[in-house]
Each structure stands twice: as C-alpha cells, then as structure tokens.
Amino acid sequence: MKIPAALADLPRPLYFFDGHCVLCSRFVAFCLKRDPRGRLKFASAQSATGTRVVTALGLPEDTLDRTILLLDGDDVLARSAAVLRALRYVEGPARLLRPLALVPAFLRDPLYDLIARNRIRWFGRRDTCLVPSPDTRSRFIDL
C-alpha cells in the first residue's frame, strides 16, 4: 500500500505501536537503543496521529489495536513486514535478523498473528502509554 498525499507531512520512517502493550513498548525501546542516528520515529496507536493515519488509509478503526504499521518512504507496511523493515534502521547483532524478510509473508504472518493475539496475556499491559526519556522524546510524534 502506498502512503496517500494527506499523510505527506509525517516523518518517515514512522512506526506505530500499542503504547499500552509491554511487548510493543519493549520493541520500541530495543529500536531506540540500537538506532543511534535516530532515524526511526514512533507514534502510539492511541495518539491522534494514529487515528489520522488509519482514517487516511481507509483502514478499520481498530487496525492499530491488533497490528503495527510502519510508514517508510512511500510504503505502508503492516504486521511482520513492518517489524522486519524497522530492523533496517538498527545497528549491532540485531541486523542478523534482517534476512527473515526473505521468508514469504504468508509464512511469517501467522506467527505474527499468534503473538499479536496473545501479547497482552503473555507479556502484560501497561496502565499508561510508554513515556519516553528526555533523550528520546524528540523521536516520538504526538504523545
């Protein structure tokens, strides 16, 4: 899917995550630590920007409740494709996971869906959204 003109003002790459989900927040922290150049930006699914993106893309309102999105260049990526594309921006040993993008989505996404369905039960839920540190605050949109 391509990014519509109505979203041209958003920074990219922009990763949307569930700010209440412990697993999602840990992945964001993982990326922040391993992206010292600060290329990846983040927005919570619960933010006004999250709502705006879902509306502009014509997706169901609850899309960001069950999946993550990544706006990267002109592309909108979801599910495992979004996670794996985000890894393009990290440094260190985590880069070794990049070849997983060569595995077809029809094989990757069932595993993604299983984890997504069970993430709260397995990893927990925060009462409040992730609060970035002062050092990383500029990498978050619309908190």
Side-chain angles (χ1 to χ4, degrees):
M1 178 184 305
K2 295 296 180 187
I3 296 175
L7 300 176
D9 63 314
L10 293 177
R12 284 175 235 143
L14 180 56
Y15 186 89
F16 289 88
F17 68 101
D18 180 347
H20 293 288
C21 169
V22 171
L23 177 63
C24 303
S25 296
R26 284 183 183 163
F27 184 74
V28 169
F30 174 89
C31 290
L32 285 167
K33 184 176 180 179
R34 289 160 182 82
D35 177 20
R37 291 190 266 171
R39 295 174 292 177
L40 271 171
K41 306 294 185 220
F42 303 92
S44 76
Q46 295 80 11
S47 69
T49 303
T51 301
R52 176 181 164 210
V53 166
V54 167
T55 301
L57 294 174
L59 299 171
E61 287 181 25
D62 65 346
T63 296
L64 292 177
D65 292 342
R66 63 181 183 275
T67 191
I68 54 102
L69 293 177
L70 177 69
L71 307 184
D72 191 17
D74 291 333
D75 299 322
V76 179
L77 298 113
R79 298 163 69 196
S80 65
V83 172
L84 292 170
R85 178 73 68 90
L87 292 177
R88 284 187 179 182
Y89 298 97
V90 302
E91 297 178 2
R95 295 180 344 188
L96 297 175
L97 298 173
R98 291 179 187 168
L100 290 174
L102 299 173
V103 175
F106 75 88
L107 295 174
R108 294 187 321 249
D109 282 342
L111 177 60
Y112 175 91
D113 293 339
L114 174 69
I115 295 168
R117 275 192 312 273
N118 294 290
R119 64 193 161 86
I120 302 300
R121 184 173 53 229
W122 293 346
F123 299 98
R125 182 171 180 79
R126 297 175 182 263
D127 291 333
T128 59
C129 278
L130 170 74
V131 177
S133 70
D135 294 344
T136 61
R137 175 65 183 96
S138 65
R139 304 217 12 226
F140 289 81
I141 309 301
D142 199 23
L143 281 178

